[in-house]
Amino acid sequence: MSIATILALAIAVIGFVALAADDDSVPRDHYTLAAERICLQAKRQIVAAGEDGGSAYARQLVPITVSWREALGELRPPADRSEKVSDLDLALREVELEAAALARASEAGDRARTLAIARRTDLASAEVEEAIATLGLSECAGATLGFLPEK
């Protein structure tokens, strides 16, 4: 066997493994499309709330997150994604808690506490983003809060 043949076989095996991994991707079914719309709408609301800044932003983040969780809760996720949906719900709950604490600290004028809670809120938001990606909400995962597609 020549080196070229061995190289071609190695490339074919790597390609096959990569294609097999794609078979595990989340399907773009009714659930995914509906969850995608809900996610993008929530992110648009977060961007709009961010224009106010400060404690007003944190106060607005709580009902946005609650609404996001409720809207997702009305959908029936396929059984193969129920754990991923639960992970997203838990991550959103954590953002709710941290945003509420952030609003209280900001309104109290406690700068050091506000900064510490803001960091925790940021970490909780990163968990939400990870859960969004894991759930296969690719459009929403790709939509950063600085840039959201219009729909």
Side-chain angles (χ1 to χ4, degrees), residues 38-116:
I38 292 166
C39 184
L40 286 168
Q41 178 183 13
K43 282 191 172 184
R44 281 189 201 92
Q45 291 172 340
I46 291 168
V47 168
E51 294 171 359
D52 294 337
S55 63
Y57 172 68
R59 272 194 319 275
Q60 291 178 48
L61 188 56
V62 174
I64 291 168
T65 308
V66 168
S67 176
W68 187 353
R69 285 186 46 247
E70 288 173 349
L72 286 175
E74 292 174 5
L75 301 177
R76 287 186 170 236
D80 65 327
R81 283 173 264 169
S82 61
E83 186 176 331
K84 293 175 184 176
V85 171
S86 178
D87 290 346
L88 177 55
D89 184 68
L90 287 172
L92 287 168
R93 281 179 191 259
E94 188 64 27
V95 168
E96 281 176 44
L97 294 171
E98 295 298 343
L102 181 60
R104 286 191 303 272
S106 180
E107 288 167 356
D110 187 342
R111 186 170 165 84
R113 186 165 180 255
T114 299
L115 188 56

Side-chain angles (χ1 to χ4, degrees), residues 139-151:
E139 277 185 54
C140 193
T144 62
L145 293 181
F147 171 75
L148 291 173
E150 293 296 321
K151 286 213 173 181

Side-chain angles (χ1 to χ4, degrees), residues 17-29:
V17 170
L19 287 175
D22 283 346
D23 290 342
D24 292 336
S25 67
V26 177
R28 300 293 293 169
D29 57 11

